[in-house]
Amino acid sequence: MLSSRLIAVISFFLALTLVRGFEGTIGVNYGTVANNLPPPAQVAHFLLESTVINRVRLFDANPEILRAFAHTGVAVTISVPNDQIPDLTKLNFAQQWVEDYIQPHTPATNIVRILVGNEVISTANKLLIVSLVPAMETLQTVLVAASLDRRIQVSTPHSLGILSNSSPPSTGKFRQGYDTHVIKPLLSFLRDSNSPFMVNPYPFFDCSPDTLDYALFRPNAGVFDENTRVFYTNMLDAQLDAVFSAMKLLGFDDLEIVIAETGWPSMGDATQFGVDAKSAAEYNGNLMRHVTSGVGTPLMPNRTFETYIFALFNEDLKPGPTCERYFGLFRPDMTPVYDIGILRPTVAAAANIEHATCLLVITVGLLIIKNHG
């Protein structure tokens, strides 16, 4: 029988291993729609030294922010604004864009991905939609010519509004018209360029008082998919599998899916339910554990998902209802809104980790000697 002390040490060590497991697959969306945020250099230093986050998604290609992340190793994703997509279909414009926003910063800044627009199909803007794939292709051509295509991927994030059906997940299907004329060519481009399909699933916006537990990964009655005989215990899995089913219908179930945005606000209007720091901590904490666990989803088992939490900071100038300004993991003074294990341990805690690891090795060694000696 293992001693209670050994069990405690092993449990402690495993818990620390799980926290460390967040690193590398969990990123944040670094939005800047605020007038009280710290300087980018301070933010980059904070993320590098004080958190386990080593991936950042930007909603633009702000040179000051890109310079701030130089020599940090943080994987940076930058974005082309929606209104520039039609221009990006022109080779000269794409070349100039790369010269202005990529080449001055790489390889010092670890730019790993360029997102062409955000939720473009959901805008219903015909010019943007028909320009999307040609813009991505032109940008990829420029990256290839500059020998940057192996370092930098090109993709674009989608809202779940691209689906005409999502329930049950096995019946997931892209909107008619967009499926063959836009999404299928897009998926072909992503496959050819070894880039992921990126989505913005938000259980927060799709849940009701009756499905709040389902959205927050709490114990719940779940949802049964009659077609696959699969039982869903959380809404995120159902959303991701609906996207997977839609991709499979078009013959692209081999592509990686990346969660470009997801999150939960810590404050909202009085009429909203489940909007508080406790719920936000539950969602984001459970999210991190789930996507890094390797369990996957019912239709995509045994995999992890690169995931970007929205957002790094509360952003006081964002329009819309109150909750839009309170999705941040941190306040502008860089104190956490709630604790979900993103902050690195202190030096003292780090020393405790080393001590616990050594103790574990020594204890296991003594047990082996005792049992075989």
Side-chain angles (χ1 to χ4, degrees), residues 88-215:
L88 200 64
T89 62
K90 303 163 191 169
L91 185 60
N92 288 344
F93 184 91
Q95 289 171 330
Q96 190 63 53
W97 196 91
V98 170
E99 286 179 20
D100 290 344
Y101 296 105
I102 304 296
Q103 290 176 322
H105 304 288
T106 189
T109 299
N110 184 24
I111 300 172
V112 298
R113 195 175 289 142
I114 304 171
L115 304 185
V116 178
N118 185 43
E119 301 186 349
V120 174
I121 293 174
S122 299
T123 66
N125 182 310
K126 289 184 180 179
L127 177 60
L128 295 184
I129 293 169
V130 300
S131 301
L132 179 60
V133 176
M136 296 172 72
E137 292 171 337
T138 305
L139 183 57
Q140 179 71 9
T141 298
V142 175
L143 292 177
V144 169
S147 299
L148 292 170
D149 56 304
R150 292 183 182 273
R151 176 190 295 272
I152 302 172
Q153 296 176 326
V154 176
S155 190
T156 185
H158 307 275
S159 78
L160 297 193
I162 58 173
L163 301 176
S164 60
N165 197 49
S166 60
S167 184
S170 60
T171 63
K173 187 177 182 180
F174 292 119
R175 291 191 177 279
Q176 191 171 2
Y178 294 134
D179 53 356
T180 55
H181 293 100
V182 182
I183 296 175
K184 193 168 185 178
L186 170 63
L187 292 170
S188 294
F189 167 82
L190 295 175
R191 177 186 280 165
D192 292 343
S193 61
N194 194 31
S195 297
F197 189 70
M198 304 185 70
V199 292
N200 299 342
Y202 276 95
F204 169 72
F205 289 116
D206 288 339
C207 75
S208 65
D210 293 335
T211 59
L212 183 61
D213 290 343
Y214 182 56

Side-chain angles (χ1 to χ4, degrees), residues 93-352:
F93 184 91
Q95 289 171 330
Q96 190 63 53
W97 196 91
V98 170
E99 286 179 20
D100 290 344
Y101 296 105
I102 304 296
Q103 290 176 322
H105 304 288
T106 189
T109 299
N110 184 24
I111 300 172
V112 298
R113 195 175 289 142
I114 304 171
L115 304 185
V116 178
N118 185 43
E119 301 186 349
V120 174
I121 293 174
S122 299
T123 66
N125 182 310
K126 289 184 180 179
L127 177 60
L128 295 184
I129 293 169
V130 300
S131 301
L132 179 60
V133 176
M136 296 172 72
E137 292 171 337
T138 305
L139 183 57
Q140 179 71 9
T141 298
V142 175
L143 292 177
V144 169
S147 299
L148 292 170
D149 56 304
R150 292 183 182 273
R151 176 190 295 272
I152 302 172
Q153 296 176 326
V154 176
S155 190
T156 185
H158 307 275
S159 78
L160 297 193
I162 58 173
L163 301 176
S164 60
N165 197 49
S166 60
S167 184
S170 60
T171 63
K173 187 177 182 180
F174 292 119
R175 291 191 177 279
Q176 191 171 2
Y178 294 134
D179 53 356
T180 55
H181 293 100
V182 182
I183 296 175
K184 193 168 185 178
L186 170 63
L187 292 170
S188 294
F189 167 82
L190 295 175
R191 177 186 280 165
D192 292 343
S193 61
N194 194 31
S195 297
F197 189 70
M198 304 185 70
V199 292
N200 299 342
Y202 276 95
F204 169 72
F205 289 116
D206 288 339
C207 75
S208 65
D210 293 335
T211 59
L212 183 61
D213 290 343
Y214 182 56
L216 289 172
F217 300 88
R218 292 171 179 166
N220 64 89
V223 174
F224 186 67
D225 188 327
E226 293 280 356
N227 299 320
T228 54
R229 314 300 294 174
V230 161
F231 190 75
Y232 285 87
T233 59
N234 68 83
M235 189 180 291
L236 182 71
D237 278 359
Q239 292 178 331
L240 292 175
D241 276 358
V243 173
F244 173 80
S245 296
M247 293 167 66
K248 186 176 182 179
L249 203 59
L250 295 180
F252 291 90
D253 55 334
D254 57 313
L255 289 185
E256 179 189 2
I257 294 176
V258 167
I259 299 173
E261 266 183 59
T262 190
W264 199 282
S266 61
M267 190 181 298
D269 296 315
T271 54
Q272 293 181 296
F273 60 91
V275 185
D276 51 65
K278 180 178 180 295
S279 297
E282 271 190 278
Y283 178 77
N284 285 323
N286 288 331
L287 166 78
M288 291 198 305
R289 283 183 284 276
H290 185 59
V291 299
T292 61
S293 68
V295 172
T297 71
L299 298 186
M300 295 180 284
N302 307 315
R303 70 168 73 179
T304 58
F305 294 93
E306 181 182 334
T307 299
Y308 294 80
I309 297 175
F310 188 87
L312 179 55
F313 294 114
N314 287 334
E315 298 172 69
D316 65 337
L317 298 182
K318 290 203 75 171
T322 301
C323 67
E324 290 289 341
R325 294 177 283 284
Y326 289 94
F327 271 89
L329 296 172
F330 296 94
R331 303 177 184 90
D333 64 0
M334 295 188 289
T335 58
V337 178
Y338 42 81
D339 178 20
I340 52 172
I342 278 180
L343 286 174
R344 287 189 184 278
T346 62
V347 174
N352 287 338

Side-chain angles (χ1 to χ4, degrees), residues 8-22:
V9 172
I10 291 173
S11 300
F12 177 63
F13 180 72
L14 289 175
L16 291 169
T17 303
L18 285 173
V19 170
R20 285 180 169 184
F22 293 156

